[in-house]
Amino acid sequence: MTPSTANCRTANEIRRTEQGPRPIPPTGVAGPIAELPNVDVSLANGLRVIAVRQPATPMVEIRLWIPFAGWEPAHPARAELLAASITTGCENNGSLAPVGGSLVAEVTPERLLISGQVLTSGLSLLLETVAHTLTSPEYVGDCVLDERRRLTTQLQMLERDAAVIARRALQRQRFGKHPAAAEMSTADAIAEINPKELRDLHKTAVVPRGATLVLVGDIDVDDAVSQADRALRDWTSSTAAQQLTSLPVITGGPLLFMSNEEAQDSQIRLSAQAVGRTHPKYPAVVLANLTLGGYFASRLAANLHGADKLHTYHAHSYIELHAGTGSVVVEIDATTEATAEVLNETRYELARLLYQPPGDAEVAAAREYALGAMHFASATQAGLAAQLVALAGTGLGMPWLLGMHSRLVNTSPTEITQAAQEFLTPVNWTGTVVANPSQLAVLAKFCAVTGP
C-alpha cells in the first residue's frame, strides 16, 4: 500500500516553526578529554602495559606496538611478509570468532603493530592468542607461501599506481637511504623471502623490551594488567626491540620530477621539517598546518577547491610523526594541464602565511577544529587505543593526551605565526611531482626541478 501524502510536510516546512526558521544550535568548543581510570606499568619481561577503562561498549581494543627497525636491504620485504603472516597461523584461524574477536598486523619502518578487538568476556582468549602468536610463531610453509603470493600480486598492482609512485619518490627525496624511506617493499623482493627468514626475524625482533601493549575498553584496569601479565610472562628476551634511528633533517631544495607517461593526472607531494609531540612549538605547528591545508576551511582548500578551479581533485596538508620528530606534508592531485598552476598557487599560499599571518578568526576556527578532532578521536575505544599506542611509541601516554587541550587553547596567534615563519617558509620545502613528461619543461620555468 502506498502511504498517503496528504499530511506530509516538505523539507522546508519541517525546518520551520510558527515563529520562523529553526535556529542552528551553536557548535561550541570541545572541552578537555575526560580523565578515565587507567594504569601504566612495566612488566617483568620489559613490556609496558597501558590499560584504560572506557565502558562505552562491552568490547576491548588491544594494540601492541613493537619497535621494528632494520638496516639490512632485505628487512623491508621480510618485515612486510612477517606482518602479513604472523596472525594467519593455520591452527589458530577462527579461534576468536565465537567471542567477536579479530587480530591483524601491519608494519612500517618504525614499528610492528598488532591490533585486535574482542568482547570483554573474551579478553583472556584474545591475550592467549596474542601470546601464542608471539611465543610460538608457526609461519607454516603453505600459509607463508599463500601470503607471499597475495602480497606479490598486490604490490605488482600498487607499483603502477601514481600515488604510490609519488609517495615512494617523496620518501627517497626526504630521507635518502635511511630505513624510513623504505615504507613499502617491492613485489620482486617479497617473492624472494622464505619461511625460515621469517622465523629468524621473529626470534630476534619480536621481543617485549621496548614494546607497549595498550588495552582500552569495558575492563577493570588492574585485572586487565594481571591478565596480560599471566598470558605474556613467557614472552621474554635478553635484548630490546630495535628503535628507528634519528631521521635526516629535511632541507629545502629542488623538486624531484618523476615522468609517468601513463598518468591521467599529476601528483604533487611536498614536505618540510617540523617537530615532534614533545617539542614546545608542536601545538603552534599543528595550528599553523591546519591554517595552511589541514582541514576543509584551510587556505589551500579555499584556493585550490574554488568554484573556478575544478582541476584539483585533492589538496591537503598534514603533520607526519616519526622517530621522535615530525614533518609537514602537502598532498595535491590535479589535472595534467593544471600542474604548474596548482604548484604555483601552493607556493603562493606558503608565502602568504609569512606576509599575511592568520588572524584571530582563522586561529579560532583552526583551534576549534583541532580540539574537536582530538576529542572525537578519543571518544571511541578504537580511537583512544590508536592514539595511546602512537603516543607510546615515543614514550608518552595519557598525561600527554590530557594536557594537549590546554596547550592548544593557550597557543597564541603570535606563536602560530612564528611557527609558520620557522617551519613552513617556502625555502624549507622539497618534494616530488609525478606527471606526464610534457610538464617537466613547464615546471622548470619557475622552480628548480631534477630528474630521478
Side-chain angles (χ1 to χ4, degrees):
M1 178 183 294
T2 302
S4 171
T5 60
N7 297 319
C8 290
R9 293 180 296 163
T10 67
N12 190 52
E13 290 171 332
I14 291 172
R15 64 180 291 271
R16 296 182 64 87
T17 68
E18 293 180 0
Q19 289 75 35
R22 296 181 185 274
I24 298 175
T27 57
V29 179
I33 295 172
E35 186 167 2
L36 301 168
N38 67 92
V39 173
D40 190 337
V41 298
S42 292
L43 305 183
N45 62 358
L47 175 68
R48 180 186 179 191
V49 179
I50 301 174
V52 181
R53 174 170 173 76
Q54 191 190 58
T57 60
M59 301 286 294
V60 185
E61 292 285 338
I62 182 173
R63 302 289 186 275
L64 177 60
W65 173 294
I66 305 174
F68 214 66
W71 291 266
E72 296 182 9
H75 177 77
R78 291 170 181 163
E80 200 157 346
L81 187 53
L82 181 145
S85 306
I86 191 171
T87 62
T88 59
C90 294
E91 296 178 9
N92 276 340
N93 278 349
S95 63
L96 294 172
V99 289
S102 64
L103 203 62
V104 296
E106 60 182 75
V107 73
T108 70
E110 187 173 5
R111 79 331 181 238
L112 173 68
L113 180 65
I114 298 176
S115 304
Q117 62 176 3
V118 72
L119 290 168
T120 302
S121 59
L123 178 57
S124 60
L125 177 59
L126 177 61
L127 288 170
E128 289 172 8
T129 304
V130 171
H132 179 84
T133 298
L134 298 171
T135 61
S136 304
E138 294 170 359
Y139 301 116
V140 179
D142 288 345
C143 289
V144 172
L145 296 179
D146 286 344
E147 288 301 317
R148 191 175 71 181
R149 282 191 290 270
R150 182 187 66 80
L151 268 181
T152 300
T153 301
Q154 182 183 56
L155 286 169
Q156 285 172 341
M157 293 187 293
L158 288 175
E159 285 167 3
R160 299 185 62 182
D161 185 276
V164 172
I165 295 171
R167 178 64 183 184
R168 284 179 165 174
L170 177 65
Q171 294 300 84
R172 292 195 303 271
Q173 184 77 342
R174 296 196 295 172
F175 303 135
K177 296 182 179 180
H178 190 279
E183 276 186 334
M184 184 185 299
S185 186
T186 65
D188 290 343
I190 292 288
E192 297 294 323
I193 306 302
N194 61 61
K196 181 181 182 304
E197 291 177 90
L198 301 190
R199 290 191 287 270
D200 291 343
L201 178 61
H202 187 113
K203 183 177 180 180
T204 59
V206 183
V207 296
R209 295 193 180 277
T212 301
L213 175 69
V214 172
L215 300 165
V216 176
D218 186 12
I219 55 174
D220 176 284
V221 292
D222 294 317
D223 179 63
V225 171
S226 296
Q227 288 191 56
D229 190 18
R230 288 193 299 270
L232 300 173
R233 63 181 50 177
D234 292 334
W235 184 37
T236 60
S237 175
S238 59
T239 59
Q242 291 293 320
Q243 300 280 351
L244 192 66
T245 56
S246 299
L247 275 67
V249 174
I250 301 170
T251 57
L255 299 180
L256 175 66
F257 186 88
M258 300 291 293
S259 179
N260 185 359
E261 294 185 359
E262 300 179 2
Q264 301 299 312
D265 48 28
S266 299
Q267 281 70 41
I268 299 170
R269 304 291 185 265
L270 308 174
S271 186
Q273 185 65 41
V275 294
R277 292 184 180 93
T278 58
H279 197 284
K281 296 180 181 179
Y282 177 72
V285 174
V286 168
L287 296 173
N289 168 69
L290 285 172
T291 302
L292 170 65
Y295 73 128
F296 57 88
S298 67
R299 293 186 177 189
L300 275 180
N303 186 327
L304 300 181
H305 290 309
D308 60 336
K309 296 179 179 178
L310 301 179
H311 47 231
T312 304
Y313 312 129
H314 167 72
H316 181 65
S317 69
Y318 57 91
I319 295 176
E320 195 169 78
L321 296 162
H322 29 58
T325 186
S327 60
V328 181
V329 178
V330 172
E331 292 186 354
I332 302 172
D333 298 341
T335 59
T336 298
E337 61 273 13
T339 305
E341 180 186 353
V342 167
L343 181 57
N344 198 42
E345 290 297 315
T346 303
R347 289 155 60 95
Y348 163 75
E349 292 298 346
L350 290 172
R352 191 162 72 92
L353 276 175
L354 307 184
Y355 66 79
Q356 188 180 335
D360 291 344
E362 268 188 299
V363 169
R367 182 183 286 116
E368 287 184 24
Y369 181 87
L371 293 171
M374 185 176 67
H375 203 280
F376 181 80
S378 304
T380 66
Q381 294 167 341
L384 182 57
Q387 288 198 81
L388 288 175
V389 79
L391 291 171
T394 50
L396 303 174
M398 280 293 290
W400 185 94
L401 185 61
L402 294 173
M404 188 59 181
H405 180 276
S406 64
R407 289 192 290 273
L408 287 169
V409 168
N410 294 322
T411 300
S412 69
T414 299
E415 291 173 305
I416 298 169
T417 298
Q418 291 172 345
Q421 292 171 343
E422 182 175 355
F423 299 105
L424 305 184
T425 183
V427 297
N428 288 1
W429 294 77
T430 186
T432 184
V433 177
V434 178
N436 187 278
S438 64
Q439 297 304 300
L440 176 58
V442 181
L443 292 177
K445 292 179 180 178
F446 70 92
C447 67
V449 183
T450 63

